[in-house]
């Protein structure tokens, strides 16, 4: 087996799934997937994406809300050998149209209820995962033949565009794998960890929330859509889901500190805080 630094991100997730197939990998709103279920669901979607032309340096646009389907879709894009591009359905149509056009997305993954919020895909096939669920269930659940190498793109994130036109930042597998392995080692992430995925997936800070727990054998707990703006919901989720690792901006940390019940969130062991100045108090 090749060294972890010389493998692609999805290959490391698949290796973890082989080690702990029955462990919980993803939880959302009372439902969950084991590592085996996550791996096979992503494989089935990756098989379809491959037939639609996905491969190294191709872009799979993902326009989904937080759900069980979101992490499956991101992982499937990687397994197909392609890179993913997050499209926040709440963004203005003009921004989404610009991102789709500039990235030349090969496929768009979304849900039927979100179609009205999306611009035309410029001829790219659009897969509504909810509508395609019966057909996807019949796809092979083995991973497609590996095509991507560590130098290939893993994902593209667009900047805010506050100083002009948004710019797509392209990140290869080698870079994100290096970061994830450092994070897991530096903070001793392990199978007992449960990471709350609450950062909008169009922001770079979301990336480690998705993949760091999977590379350590832990669980990814996906917050409900809009949940990152609800302090009471977050505190209840921290307690109920026994979250061990949380990432927040200082302004949200202040709200959480003022929220009744925070003292009962005794499972929390690591708090990452960034994105804004951190007041001394």
């Amino acid at each position: 087996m090749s060294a972890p630094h010389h493998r692609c991100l999805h290959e490391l997730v698949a290796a973890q799934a082989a080690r702990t197939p029955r462990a919980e990998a993803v939880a959302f709103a009372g439902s969950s997937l084991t590592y085996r279920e996550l791996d096979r669901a992503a494989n089935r979607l990756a098989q379809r994406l491959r037939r639609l032309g996905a491969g190294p340096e191709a872009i799979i646009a993902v326009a989904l809300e937080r759900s069980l389907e979101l992490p499956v879709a991101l992982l499937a894009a990687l397994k197909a050998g392609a890179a993913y591009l997050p499209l926040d359905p709440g963004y203005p149509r003009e921004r989404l149209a610009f991102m789709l056009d500039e990235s030349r997305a090969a496929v768009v993954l979304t849900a039927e209820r979100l179609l009205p919020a999306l611009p035309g895909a410029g001829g790219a096939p659009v897969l509504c995962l909810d509508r395609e669920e019966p057909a996807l269930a019949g796809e092979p659940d083995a991973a497609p033949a590996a095509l991507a190498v560590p130098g290939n793109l893993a994902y593209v994130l667009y900047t805010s565009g506050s100083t002009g036109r948004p710019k797509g930042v392209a990140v290869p597998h080698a870079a994100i794998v290096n970061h994830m392995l450092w994070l897991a080692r530096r903070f001793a992430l392990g199978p007992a960890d449960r990471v709350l995925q609450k950062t909008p997936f169009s922001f770079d800070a979301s990336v480690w929330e998705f993949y760091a727990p999977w590379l350590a054998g832990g669980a990814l707990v996906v917050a409900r859509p809009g949940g990152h703006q609800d302090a009471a919901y977050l505190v209840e989720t921290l307690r109920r889901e026994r979250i061990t690792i949380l990432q927040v901006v200082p302004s949200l940390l202040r709200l959480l500190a003022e929220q009744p019940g925070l003292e009962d969130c005794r499972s929390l062991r690591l708090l990452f805080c960034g994105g804004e100045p951190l007041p001394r108090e």
Side-chain angles (χ1 to χ4, degrees), residues 40 57 119 225 267:
R40 289 179 176 177
E57 307 304 298
S267 59

Coordinates of all heavy atoms in Angstrom, one line a residue, residues 40 57 119 225 267:
R40 N -20.4 2.8 -0.4 CA -21.2 2.2 -1.5 C -22.1 3.2 -2.2 O -22.2 3.2 -3.4 CB -21.9 1.0 -1.0 CG -21.0 -0.2 -0.6 CD -21.8 -1.4 -0.1 NE -20.9 -2.5 0.2 CZ -21.3 -3.7 0.7 NH1 -22.6 -3.9 1.0 NH2 -20.5 -4.7 0.9
E57 N -9.7 16.5 -13.7 CA -9.8 17.9 -14.1 C -11.2 18.3 -14.5 O -11.4 19.4 -14.8 CB -8.8 18.3 -15.1 CG -7.3 17.9 -14.8 CD -6.9 18.5 -13.4 OE1 -6.8 19.7 -13.3 OE2 -6.6 17.7 -12.5
P119 N -29.5 28.6 -12.2 CA -29.5 29.1 -13.6 C -29.4 27.9 -14.5 O -29.1 26.8 -14.1 CB -28.3 30.0 -13.7 CG -27.4 29.5 -12.7 CD -28.2 29.0 -11.6
P225 N -30.1 22.5 7.5 CA -29.9 23.8 6.7 C -30.3 25.0 7.6 O -31.4 25.0 8.3 CB -30.9 23.6 5.5 CG -31.0 22.1 5.4 CD -30.9 21.6 6.7
S267 N -19.2 16.8 26.2 CA -18.4 16.0 25.3 C -17.4 16.8 24.5 O -16.4 16.2 24.0 CB -19.3 15.3 24.3 OG -20.1 16.2 23.6

